[in-house]
Amino acid sequence: MSRAPITKVGSERLRAELDRLKSVERPRIIAAIAEARAHGDLKENAEYHAAREQQSFTEGRIAELEAALSTAEVIDVSRLSAGNKVVFGAIVELEEEDSGEAVTYQIVGDLEADIKQRLIAVSSPIARALIGKSAGDSFEFKAPNGVKRYEITGVRYQ
């Protein structure tokens, strides 16, 4: 079984979420269930059913994070010396050739990918197209809304 890569920062963020779920959310949900049970009849107790559903979701997320973190390979991006080549962990500055729109992404592991934070998964089509390229290179990839063409304007590492 291959180990999924994850950045050191991403690992720390997921461990913090796991710690919060275990130390804050789990006790809060247990207290909510106990309080709802005190209200009596559980068949028609909406608070009880909502708390149990939340408990199920939280326990599932805890199990998911524990499993993922136990098999992940943590990569310290600050120790990479790839120069201006795009590799895992790189922060890549791009400019779309058609519109001139500039965008910046960091290539991270699948576990920590979050497009809202401009963290793209190493397995995504754009990341696969970027890997191995250098600053100044142009590339294209097939996006859901058609083929996109970009130029790499910068590559850096944190």
Side-chain angles (χ1 to χ4, degrees), residues 96-98 129 139-150:
E96 189 173 3
E97 290 183 352
D98 294 336
F139 71 98
E140 63 180 45
F141 78 101
K142 187 173 182 177
N145 58 347
V147 175
K148 298 282 189 179
R149 300 176 79 74
Y150 286 95

Side-chain angles (χ1 to χ4, degrees), residues 11-57:
S11 172
E12 290 167 358
R13 189 173 55 245
L14 292 178
R15 287 187 194 287
E17 179 186 352
L18 180 61
D19 185 48
R20 181 186 58 78
L21 289 172
K22 285 181 166 182
S23 63
V24 176
E25 293 299 317
R26 184 184 270 167
R28 183 187 61 75
I29 293 168
I30 290 170
I33 290 172
E35 183 180 329
R37 272 197 179 134
H39 292 270
D41 186 16
L42 298 181
K43 286 183 184 175
E44 297 180 15
N45 189 331
E47 288 107 10
Y48 174 77
H49 292 291
R52 290 294 301 215
E53 188 174 314
Q54 192 173 27
Q55 181 184 37
S56 176
F57 175 79

Side-chain angles (χ1 to χ4, degrees), residues 73-135:
E73 180 178 352
V74 179
I75 298 173
D76 188 355
V77 177
S78 65
R79 293 179 176 255
L80 296 177
S81 58
N84 68 348
K85 272 208 176 298
V86 178
V87 297
F88 178 84
I91 298 170
V92 185
E93 298 165 11
L94 304 172
E95 184 177 305
E96 189 173 3
E97 290 183 352
D98 294 336
S99 69
E101 179 185 345
V103 65
T104 302
Y105 293 115
Q106 182 176 14
I107 300 174
V108 297
D110 292 344
L111 300 171
E112 59 187 315
D114 183 353
I115 194 65
K116 292 177 186 170
Q117 295 182 7
R118 302 280 187 205
L119 302 173
I120 58 171
V122 69
S123 63
S124 69
I126 189 168
R128 287 195 314 257
L130 280 166
I131 298 292
K133 304 273 190 301
S134 299

